[in-house]
Amino acid sequence: MAGHATTKVVGQTDAQATPRFAGLTTFARLPRLDQVPDYDVAIAGVPFDAGCTYRSGARFGPAHIRQASRLLRPYHLGLGVAPFEANQVVDAGDLSANPFNIPQALEAVSQGAAQLIADGRRLVALGGDHTITLPLLRAVAQHHGPLAVLHFDSHLDTWGTYFGAEYTHGSPFRRASEEGLIDRNHSIHVGIHGSVYAESDLSEDTDLGFSLIPSEALEEGGVGPVVQRIRDRVGDQPLYISTDIDVIDVGMAPGTGTPEAGGLLTRELLLILRGLRGLQLAGADLVEVCPAYDHAEVTGIAAAHVVYEYLALMATEPRRLSNESLAGHQVQQ
Ligand code: MN
Ligand code: MN
């Protein structure tokens, strides 16, 4: 396992020297990939939205989230960690994806992600529409085997095809399940709300390996029982977290492509994530931020804070994930 015992971690630009609103934009004013000798966690944008079925524009999500992340500070009070000290976190820029050819885009994202996570490094991806989670899962599962997927979304995203297209933002988890990328005994959706096509959407979803916590569960029992259900379901399997920003109520995250009423409070989502300390977080993404529909950076700020929660969770775990540290957690489909 590689490490940086002799290398000083480079954190955010000094906000006392350069105000947070000044300077070139990276996520949380962190160094770029080419400004440090090595890293533990890479943040990469995936500006791709050719898989959208409703409002397009999530291709501008990464730039918007970066801009909205400028105010993030070094110390995470909730978990008592300094995310940018515990790990060398870098902004790796954007993964290039063909905007006119979805299969080619998926291949490019998968290859780009695989390079960034070599030797146990971890990746947090900024979307882009939810199509990008499939190639990200392909890359991460290649290292760790089938993954427990924790999926925050208003939608199931296990639909079949749309206008004959297999790869859209409505189907990444069906394709991932078919490809054996997800651990069918340990995966879960959280925050589902809005309408579906038929009741069979739910039974098919169960067959694909997901259990489900609807958004109403937050109203019934609060955050604590939801956290416990997630922890019970995920166990100690290698975990991938995918958050579609539309899991948050459209009133608190209007800048998204497929809005539904009745979602989580931003605070509820952040608190749930904070409850996941100690799980084997192998990778994560935040998708579906569509800045043209945002107001006053409300959605961008929510997205930046979700990513900050990911980085805080990663700060509570070893800098590099070795296959050994996850050995024994591989589960057959
Ligand atoms: Mn959604
Ligand atoms: Mn989605």
Side-chain angles (χ1 to χ4, degrees):
M1 187 154 98
H4 305 289
T6 57
T7 311
K8 194 171 166 10
V9 169
V10 180
Q12 300 174 282
T13 54
D14 182 356
Q16 301 290 338
T18 307
R20 292 189 176 85
F21 47 81
L24 295 174
T25 310
T26 58
F27 186 86
R29 297 170 293 106
L30 287 162
R32 298 190 317 261
L33 178 63
D34 59 354
Q35 291 177 310
V36 293
D38 203 349
Y39 63 93
D40 306 299
V41 178
I43 297 166
V46 187
F48 174 85
D49 63 7
C52 276
T53 58
Y54 198 59
R55 296 170 173 170
S56 53
R59 65 181 61 182
F60 299 107
H64 188 64
I65 298 166
R66 286 188 175 102
Q67 173 63 26
S69 71
R70 284 175 168 273
L71 196 55
L72 290 172
R73 297 181 185 85
Y75 191 74
H76 186 285
L77 274 176
L79 290 175
V81 291
F84 313 132
E85 270 179 40
N87 286 309
Q88 176 63 66
V89 187
V90 297
D91 191 324
D94 291 340
L95 299 179
S96 176
N98 187 326
F100 301 109
N101 185 318
I102 294 179
Q104 270 186 26
L106 300 187
E107 186 56 34
V109 172
S110 182
Q111 282 183 14
Q115 280 180 11
L116 288 172
I117 64 173
D119 298 325
R121 297 176 181 86
R122 286 185 278 191
L123 171 64
V124 176
L126 314 175
D129 76 46
H130 224 152
T131 314
I132 68 165
T133 299
L134 177 63
L136 295 168
L137 287 171
R138 284 174 180 164
V140 179
Q142 202 170 11
H143 279 252
H144 300 297
L147 298 153
V149 172
L150 167 56
H151 169 218
F152 294 96
D153 203 322
S154 114
H155 310 96
L156 299 167
D157 289 359
T158 50
W159 280 304
T161 59
Y162 196 61
F163 283 80
E166 270 188 290
Y167 302 107
T168 74
H169 75 159
S171 60
F173 298 106
R174 178 181 288 260
R175 300 285 97 83
S177 183
E178 291 168 347
E179 293 181 20
L181 307 176
I182 72 158
D183 185 331
R184 292 186 173 191
N185 296 313
H186 297 278
S187 293
I188 184 166
H189 308 290
V190 178
I192 302 298
H193 61 279
S195 53
V196 297
Y197 291 97
E199 202 171 2
S200 57
D201 290 7
L202 294 176
S203 53
E204 287 182 28
D205 184 75
T206 304
D207 293 342
L208 289 163
F210 283 92
S211 67
L212 187 160
I213 300 176
S215 65
E216 304 92 271
L218 272 303
E219 182 64 22
E220 288 157 7
V223 167
V226 169
V227 166
Q228 194 54 51
R229 281 177 66 186
I230 295 169
R231 297 188 71 100
D232 290 347
R233 177 71 175 172
V234 168
D236 56 2
Q237 311 304 317
L239 171 65
Y240 187 93
I241 305 178
S242 182
T243 300
D244 181 328
I245 200 71
D246 72 29
V247 74
I248 298 173
D249 190 81
V250 68
M252 299 184 112
T256 194
T258 323
E260 311 281 356
L264 272 54
L265 301 175
T266 308
R267 182 181 63 209
E268 290 171 333
L269 177 58
L270 300 181
L271 289 176
I272 293 170
L273 288 166
R274 213 164 286 177
L276 304 180
R277 183 179 193 139
L279 300 186
Q280 300 290 322
L281 184 52
D285 64 51
L286 181 290
V287 298
E288 298 285 351
V289 171
C290 188
Y293 295 90
D294 204 4
H295 303 276
E297 290 188 319
V298 171
T299 316
I301 289 165
H305 279 259
V306 169
V307 171
Y308 191 57
E309 294 294 332
Y310 293 160
L311 297 171
L313 286 172
M314 289 176 174
T316 67
E317 291 298 312
R319 284 176 156 196
R320 298 285 178 89
L321 292 182
S322 63
N323 283 330
E324 297 80 57
S325 72
L326 295 171
H329 300 311
Q330 313 280 316
V331 170
Q332 60 282 29
Q333 289 288 296

